[in-house]
Amino acid sequence: MEKEIYLAGGCFWGTEHFFKQIEGVIETEVGFANGHTENPTYKEVYTDTTGHAETVRIKYNDAVVGLEFLLQMFFNAIDPTSLNKQGHDEGTRYRTGIYYQDANDLPVIEKVYAQQQAQYAEPLAVEKLPLQKFYSAEEYHQDYLDKNPDGYCHLPLELFKFAKQAKDKSKQQ
């Protein structure tokens, strides 16, 4: 069964590339979520005046990889206590968030969030909200690190290797 989740993990180039490595992820798309500007451009979002976060739409096969596993992987790729900053990228557009369309996903989101919060003394800075709006980013941002292998990324290369080897054991038989 195909499902979707929207994750904001700082710069969307690396976040998208990270999730593309995971077995069971069918499709990714970078864009802008949960802001107040209609159809924003990257240039507009970059000003931090649109309210949007750089976000990746992740379509996945729930028979191969579950939401719980994807969220655990997400927390491996972010600093969940950093507000509006991941790596060298700063601004509200780089905030972290879990945006869902299906309310049935909320118990899993809450479970993983609580597990992660237990590992930190300070509160997590990761939003967990229903998806309000998602606008696709311009084409040159899609699959950016595939098109530009030496392009900027806040995530270490080892993390991509980790994602490629990771398997959702709860879905293995």
Side-chain angles (χ1 to χ4, degrees), residues 138-152:
E138 294 87 343
E139 181 56 36
Y140 75 92
H141 291 291
Q142 307 301 328
D143 305 310
Y144 184 84
L145 291 177
D146 289 335
K147 298 172 191 170
N148 303 279
D150 295 326
Y152 166 78

Side-chain angles (χ1 to χ4, degrees), residues 86-134:
Q86 292 294 307
H88 297 296
D89 301 319
E90 293 187 54
T92 58
R93 67 191 173 277
Y94 296 121
R95 69 186 181 272
T96 53
I98 302 166
Y99 308 124
Y100 58 93
Q101 289 183 302
D102 184 348
N104 292 321
D105 289 341
L106 193 53
V108 173
I109 294 167
E110 295 286 2
K111 175 186 174 185
V112 174
Y113 199 92
Q115 290 169 341
Q116 292 296 319
Q117 180 59 74
Q119 298 177 38
Y120 296 91
E122 63 268 37
L124 299 185
V126 181
E127 295 180 328
K128 48 184 165 128
L129 299 167
L131 180 71
Q132 296 165 357
K133 300 245 174 157
F134 178 81

Side-chain angles (χ1 to χ4, degrees), residues 5-12 14-16 19 29 31-34 52-58 71 74-75 77-80 82 85-86 92-100 125-128 131 134 154:
I5 191 71
Y6 295 75
L7 300 174
C11 175
F12 53 24
T15 304
E16 177 189 42
F19 280 99
E29 177 183 19
F32 314 111
N34 284 15
H52 287 283
E54 289 194 13
T55 302
V56 180
R57 178 183 62 83
I58 299 165
L71 293 176
F74 173 66
F75 278 100
I78 63 169
D79 175 351
S82 182
K85 182 178 188 317
Q86 292 294 307
T92 58
R93 67 191 173 277
Y94 296 121
R95 69 186 181 272
T96 53
I98 302 166
Y99 308 124
Y100 58 93
V126 181
E127 295 180 328
K128 48 184 165 128
L131 180 71
F134 178 81
H154 69 288

Side-chain angles (χ1 to χ4, degrees), residues 22-23 34 40 43 66 74 82 91 155 160 162:
I22 299 172
E23 182 179 26
N34 284 15
K43 192 173 181 179
F74 173 66
S82 182
L155 298 176
F160 300 134
F162 170 72

Side-chain angles (χ1 to χ4, degrees), residues 3-66:
K3 295 188 73 180
E4 286 185 349
I5 191 71
Y6 295 75
L7 300 174
C11 175
F12 53 24
W13 295 342
T15 304
E16 177 189 42
H17 195 71
F18 175 75
F19 280 99
K20 284 177 62 173
Q21 307 308 308
I22 299 172
E23 182 179 26
V25 171
I26 300 166
E27 182 180 298
T28 58
E29 177 183 19
V30 298
F32 314 111
N34 284 15
H36 50 78
T37 301
E38 296 283 322
N39 296 306
T41 64
Y42 179 78
K43 192 173 181 179
E44 290 170 328
V45 172
Y46 198 81
T47 67
D48 271 345
T49 60
T50 66
H52 287 283
E54 289 194 13
T55 302
V56 180
R57 178 183 62 83
I58 299 165
K59 185 187 290 186
Y60 62 98
N61 179 342
D62 188 50
V64 178
V65 64

